[in-house]
Amino acid sequence: MEAPALQDEAWTCLFYLGTQVQLMQSSLTHHMTELSTLCQTINLIFQSLQALLECLNTSSAPPMAVDASPPATAPVPAALVTLQPQIPCPVLLDTYDGACSGGEQFLQSCLTYIHLSRDTVDSNALKIAWVLSYMKTGCASTYALQVFCHCGGVGSFLDWTAFEKDFHMEFFPLDPAKMAALMLCNREQYG
């Protein structure tokens, strides 16, 4: 091979490597931007959760002091001990993915839980945050992140009814009669 051909091949290789370095730098910059955005989102969620925790701490009774010394008398049978009321364990799916087919069931489970634990889950913000905490995948997670990232957070809803109405619009299937009417309109229009 002649020297000019080797030189051309070297320049081509060098140009290719330079292009690859630029692509890697561009990709790294893109990923750093995504990471920065993710960190901001995490910080916003953390702030919302901190505010909810403070709200929960101010609305609940202070914890009772527990004496660590052993009892001087015989222990009381467990059946006679009255336990403090605790939050009942929710009977929910692990997560809600936003599928319209499961929206009504998910919301009904949430409403049942909230009704059973109305002494513990007493503020609208706490109720909404609790429901959003189960919206971890699919379009439900996108919805939850939008709520948490909104400047008002869970407080951006006026009350539970406003949240429930928004949830209905977002995650409930359309009324079958409305669906049929829309299909007829489309058929007439594009028919």
Side-chain angles (χ1 to χ4, degrees):
M1 223 177 194
E2 296 179 25
L6 284 175
Q7 191 176 18
D8 286 345
E9 190 174 317
W11 280 109
T12 302
C13 183
L14 188 59
F15 180 74
Y16 174 76
L17 289 175
T19 304
Q20 292 299 315
V21 167
Q22 288 177 345
L23 288 173
M24 293 291 279
Q25 287 174 334
S26 175
S27 177
L28 182 61
T29 302
H30 174 72
H31 289 298
M32 291 300 289
T33 303
E34 285 182 343
L35 184 60
S36 175
T37 303
L38 183 61
C39 285
Q40 290 172 350
T41 302
I42 289 171
N43 285 335
L44 289 170
I45 292 171
F46 178 75
Q47 290 171 358
S48 291
L49 291 175
Q50 282 294 109
L52 288 171
L53 187 59
E54 289 173 11
C55 180
L56 179 63
N57 287 338
T58 58
S59 67
S60 64
M64 296 174 31
V66 176
D67 185 14
S69 61
T73 60
V76 178
L80 299 177
V81 175
T82 307
L83 297 175
Q84 284 185 325
Q86 295 181 359
I87 297 175
C89 294
V91 183
L92 288 173
L93 305 172
D94 288 336
T95 60
Y96 174 60
D97 63 0
C100 288
S101 60
E104 190 171 0
Q105 178 185 0
F106 173 75
L107 186 61
Q108 190 58 48
S109 296
C110 293
L111 289 170
T112 302
Y113 173 84
I114 290 168
H115 177 74
L116 291 173
S117 55
R118 63 181 163 262
D119 295 334
T120 307
V121 185
D122 57 353
S123 74
N124 287 327
L126 190 57
K127 291 175 191 175
I128 294 167
W130 180 80
V131 171
L132 293 174
S133 72
Y134 283 92
M135 300 171 76
K136 299 177 184 175
T137 60
C139 61
S141 68
T142 304
Y143 176 83
L145 280 175
Q146 286 176 345
V147 172
F148 281 124
C149 292
H150 188 270
C151 62
V154 293
S156 60
F157 294 101
L158 295 175
D159 55 10
W160 172 260
T161 307
F163 171 74
E164 194 172 352
K165 182 179 177 182
D166 194 58
F167 187 91
H168 274 266
M169 291 184 342
E170 196 73 31
F171 298 109
F172 273 41
L174 287 175
D175 181 20
K178 288 181 185 176
M179 291 283 291
L182 286 173
M183 289 173 57
L184 284 174
C185 287
N186 284 341
R187 188 172 283 174
E188 288 174 4
Q189 186 175 9
Y190 300 109

